[in-house]
Amino acid sequence: MQHYKVLVVDDEENILSVVRAYLEKSGYQVYVAETGQSALQLFTHIEPDLVILDLMLPDTSGEDVCRAIRRESNVPIIMLTAKIQEDDKINGLMIGADDYIAKPFSPRELVARVFTLLRRSKGEPERKEAVIKFSESQLMIYPDTHNVTLQGEPVALTPIEFKLLVALANYPMKVFSRLELVNQIQGYSYEGYERTVDVHIKNLRHKLGDDPKQPVYIATVFGVGYRMAVMPDED
C-alpha cells in the first residue's frame, strides 16, 4: 500500500495517541496537531492526503479550519467530534467535510473510513472482497462485510452465529471443542459460556437448513465438539 500522509487534528492527547497508533499500524504516515493554527501550518508544509479534524479546538473552531483548507484544497476531510446533533453533522458536511464520526468512536471504523475515502479520492480500484465458498457456491461467506448467502439468498445471522460459522469455515479440517469456540467468538475462554455454544450451533444449523443427523455443513464430533462437514470450494 502506498504510504499516504494523514494529518490528525485534536487537542486530546489520548485520542491523538490512539488514532496515530491505529493508522501507523495500517501503513499510513501520520502527522498530528493540537491547535487549529498549527494544523494549518502543518497542512501547508506536508500537503497531506487526508485530514482527520476535531471541531472543538482551543484556539479556533474546526469549522474554520475546514473552511481554510477548502479554500486551497479538495483533500478528503473526516470530522471527528463530540458534536452529535443532526444540525452539527449537516453543517460539517455543508462546509466541505467528506465524512463525520462522533466521539466516542471505534478506531477500527475510523481506519476503514480513511481507507474508503482515500480509495475514492485517489481513484484506486476497489479491493475484491474475500469470500469462502462451499458446495459449489451454494453457501457463500463474506468475512469482511459479515454477509452470508445460501443458494443465492441472504441468511440473517446474529454476530455470534456469524463468528462461529467463520471460525469453522476458516479451519474446515479442525475439530473445535466448545471451549475453543467460546475463545473464537469472545476472545477469551469462559467456561460459563461453554454450554450456550450448543444453542448457537443449533440455531445456526436451522438457518442453514442443516440436519444434525445428516449434516451438510456443520458436523458434531461426539465427545469433542464441532467441525465443518464439507471442504471449501477450490478457486
Side-chain angles (χ1 to χ4, degrees), residues 137-150:
S137 299
Q138 291 295 300
L139 174 64
M140 302 181 69
I141 306 167
Y142 300 85
D144 291 350
T145 54
H146 285 223
N147 290 320
V148 174
T149 62
L150 182 65

Side-chain angles (χ1 to χ4, degrees), residues 9-11 33-40 57-60 65:
V9 187
D10 200 297
D11 63 336
E34 297 185 11
T35 66
Q37 289 303 315
S38 62
L40 291 174
L57 299 171
D59 58 339
T60 184
V65 175

Side-chain angles (χ1 to χ4, degrees), residues 54-67:
D54 182 24
L55 294 187
M56 302 176 70
L57 299 171
D59 58 339
T60 184
S61 72
E63 289 92 342
D64 286 342
V65 175
C66 182
R67 292 187 185 96

Side-chain angles (χ1 to χ4, degrees), residues 146-167:
H146 285 223
N147 290 320
V148 174
T149 62
L150 182 65
Q151 297 179 358
E153 296 296 323
V155 181
L157 300 183
T158 68
I160 288 178
E161 291 165 359
F162 183 82
K163 287 182 180 179
L164 283 171
L165 181 59
V166 169

Side-chain angles (χ1 to χ4, degrees), residues 183-196:
N183 189 57
Q184 287 287 324
I185 62 180
Q186 302 236 132
Y188 57 90
S189 296
Y190 174 48
E191 293 186 8
Y193 197 85
E194 187 179 353
R195 66 177 68 94
T196 68

Side-chain angles (χ1 to χ4, degrees), residues 150 155 200-212:
L150 182 65
V155 181
H200 292 301
I201 290 290
K202 178 182 178 181
N203 292 337
L204 180 56
R205 279 173 164 162
H206 175 73
K207 292 179 180 180
L208 296 179
D210 222 7
D211 182 352

Side-chain angles (χ1 to χ4, degrees), residues 21-37:
Y22 272 81
L23 288 172
E24 287 182 342
K25 185 178 179 181
S26 297
Y28 298 102
Q29 294 181 31
V30 182
Y31 301 82
V32 300
E34 297 185 11
T35 66
Q37 289 303 315

